[in-house]
Amino acid sequence: MEMQLPPHEGSELSVVDMHTGGEPLRIILSGYPEVKGDSVLSKRRYVREHLDHLRRVLMYEPRGHYDMYGALIVDSELPEADLAVLFMHNEGYSTMCGHAVIALGRFAVDYKLVKEPKSPETQVNIHCPCGLVKAFVEYSEGKTGGVRFLSVPAFAFATDVTVTVEGFGEVTVDISYGGAFYAFVNAQRFGLDVSKSRTRDLVDAATAVTRAVKCQVKLDHPASDDLAFLYGTILTDGKDDYSSEPTANICVFAEAQVDRSPTGSGVTARVALQYHKGLIQLNQTRTFQSGATGSQFTGKAVEVSRFLFSCGIRVITSCSKSGKRQKCIL
C-alpha cells in the first residue's frame, strides 16, 4: 500500500546539523528570505525585526530544542571575509560564538566555500557581528580536522564588582569580553560544583547572577552599542592560576540556555580576564573543560592590541574535534 504525503506548505529550509564538543550548531543552507542591511550588524537587526519567526521555527521544538544553536550565512561587507554569519539561539541573536566558528571552519572547507584548501591548515575568515575572526582548519588528503581561531580583541571590563543577587545576597563577579560579555563567578560561592552539581541548580544560580548584573551594571563597548549587552554568566571551579591541569566551567547564556562545550567566546573572555589579573602570561596555553560534558578547548593570549579607547588581547582558542550529525530538510 502506497501512502501519499500532503502537499508541503510554508517555507522550506535546508540545514546541516553539526556539533563542537557536544554543543549543537544548525547551519542554514537555503530557504531564508533576503537579509537586508549594509553591514553584518545591520543584518542582525533586520532578522531580529523582520524574520524572527524563522529563528523560532529552527530553534524551538518540534524541529529544534531549548538548547539548539543556529548559524545563518550572509554576505559580508569586508572584502577579506570568506563568509559572514549571524548566530541565533533560544532568546535571539548573539554577537560571537566560538563553538560555531570552529564548526563553520570545517563546514566552509568541506562545502567548498573556500577555494583551494591548503595543507596543513586552511585559513577561513569569518565575519561575525563582533568583527572578523580567523579560523584555521587542519586539512590533509582531502579531509578536515581540528580547528583553532584567532578571535577579536578581548578585554576585562570590570573586576570584583559586587551585585545583589536575589536569593543569594551580595555576590562579587568579574565581567569580561570575548566577542560577547560574560559575568564570571566561582560556583563555590553558591555551594555548587560545576562538574558534579545538578544542572538545574547551576542554571538557577547563573541566571540569578545574569539578571542582577543586567539590572545593576551598565556595559559599554568601544566599537558599537550593539555589542554592549551581557550574554550570560559562567560559573567556574575557581582554578584561575596557571596550571597544566584543566580548569572547568559551565556557561549559562541567553534564556537559561546551557552550553555543552567549554564555550569558545567564554574561554576567550576568561583568558583575557586571567591575563588582566596576571594569572597567565602571553602564549601560555590553558585547557578549559566543560562541566556539562567534559569536552575541552585550549586557549591562550597571543598579543596585546590597542583599539579605540580600550586595551585588549588577541586570543587563540582551539578544539580537536567538531562532528557532523546529519543533513535534514525542515
Side-chain angles (χ1 to χ4, degrees):
M1 179 179 177
E2 293 185 0
M3 296 184 64
Q4 187 172 3
L5 295 175
H8 177 79
E9 294 182 359
S11 301
E12 184 174 289
L13 300 170
S14 177
V15 307
V16 169
D17 280 358
M18 300 181 69
H19 77 91
T20 307
E23 177 67 0
L25 183 69
R26 175 160 286 172
I27 304 171
I28 299 102
L29 294 178
S30 64
Y32 245 73
E34 178 188 2
V35 178
K36 298 179 180 179
D38 56 6
S39 69
V40 168
L41 280 174
S42 64
K43 287 180 171 69
R44 178 174 174 268
R45 290 192 294 270
Y46 182 86
V47 295
R48 184 174 58 203
E49 295 169 3
H50 300 284
L51 300 175
D52 199 51
H53 62 288
L54 294 177
R55 176 187 66 85
R56 296 193 295 271
V57 165
L58 289 162
M59 298 295 103
Y60 295 173
E61 293 185 15
R63 300 171 184 86
H65 55 80
Y66 195 81
D67 294 322
M68 178 57 76
Y69 207 98
L72 174 64
I73 296 175
V74 296
D75 293 331
S76 171
E77 70 272 20
L78 301 179
E80 64 268 38
D82 294 300
L83 68 150
V85 61
L86 303 178
F87 304 117
M88 61 183 72
H89 45 67
N90 69 7
E91 182 187 43
Y93 303 88
S94 176
T95 55
M96 172 57 183
C97 180
H99 95 271
V101 164
I102 290 169
L104 284 166
R106 288 192 64 177
F107 174 85
V109 177
D110 289 341
Y111 279 76
K112 297 179 173 51
L113 301 184
V114 179
K115 296 180 179 178
E116 298 181 4
K118 299 178 181 179
S119 297
E121 282 187 326
T122 296
Q123 180 173 329
V124 183
N125 292 338
I126 302 175
H127 187 186
C128 304
C130 64
L132 189 69
V133 176
K134 297 178 181 179
F136 301 88
V137 184
E138 291 179 357
Y139 185 79
S140 177
E141 298 180 351
K143 295 183 179 181
T144 52
V147 182
R148 61 188 179 94
F149 67 86
L150 179 64
S151 190
V152 296
F155 56 89
F157 178 80
T159 58
D160 299 323
V161 177
T162 300
V163 293
T164 302
V165 180
E166 184 176 358
F168 298 101
E170 291 190 343
V171 176
T172 300
V173 304
D174 296 324
I175 302 171
S176 190
Y177 178 83
F181 282 101
Y182 295 94
F184 291 85
V185 60
N186 189 337
Q188 293 178 0
R189 167 61 181 79
F190 310 102
L192 299 173
D193 184 300
V194 294
S195 300
K196 298 178 181 179
S197 295
R198 292 195 318 163
T199 301
R200 182 72 263 165
D201 295 335
L202 294 163
V203 169
D204 288 345
T207 300
V209 172
T210 295
R211 289 172 178 166
V213 173
K214 284 183 175 180
C215 291
Q216 299 168 43
V217 181
K218 177 176 171 51
L219 300 180
D220 61 80
H221 189 278
S224 173
D225 289 339
D226 282 346
L227 304 176
F229 66 94
L230 189 73
Y231 191 30
T233 292
I234 295 178
L235 301 178
T236 77
D237 61 5
K239 298 176 182 178
D240 291 323
D241 290 315
Y242 177 75
S243 170
S244 59
E245 296 297 317
T247 175
N249 55 231
I250 190 165
C251 175
V252 181
F253 66 98
E255 189 59 41
Q257 187 164 338
V258 179
D259 196 326
R260 273 71 170 160
S261 79
T263 308
S265 55
V267 164
T268 302
R270 197 172 172 201
V271 167
L273 186 62
Q274 291 177 358
Y275 178 80
H276 173 78
K277 290 185 172 186
L279 301 174
I280 62 173
Q281 305 300 315
L282 289 181
N283 293 306
Q284 274 191 324
T285 299
R286 289 220 64 185
T287 301
F288 299 85
Q289 182 168 297
S290 166
T293 64
S295 60
Q296 295 182 348
F297 289 170
T298 59
K300 63 180 178 180
V302 294
E303 66 176 327
V304 177
S305 60
R306 296 190 177 275
F307 58 107
L308 297 180
F309 307 110
S310 298
C311 179
I313 62 169
R314 302 297 297 276
V315 176
I316 284 183
T317 301
S318 63
C319 177
S320 61
K321 296 180 181 179
S322 178
K324 300 177 185 178
R325 290 163 62 181
Q326 75 270 358
K327 179 176 180 180
C328 57
I329 303 294
L330 300 184

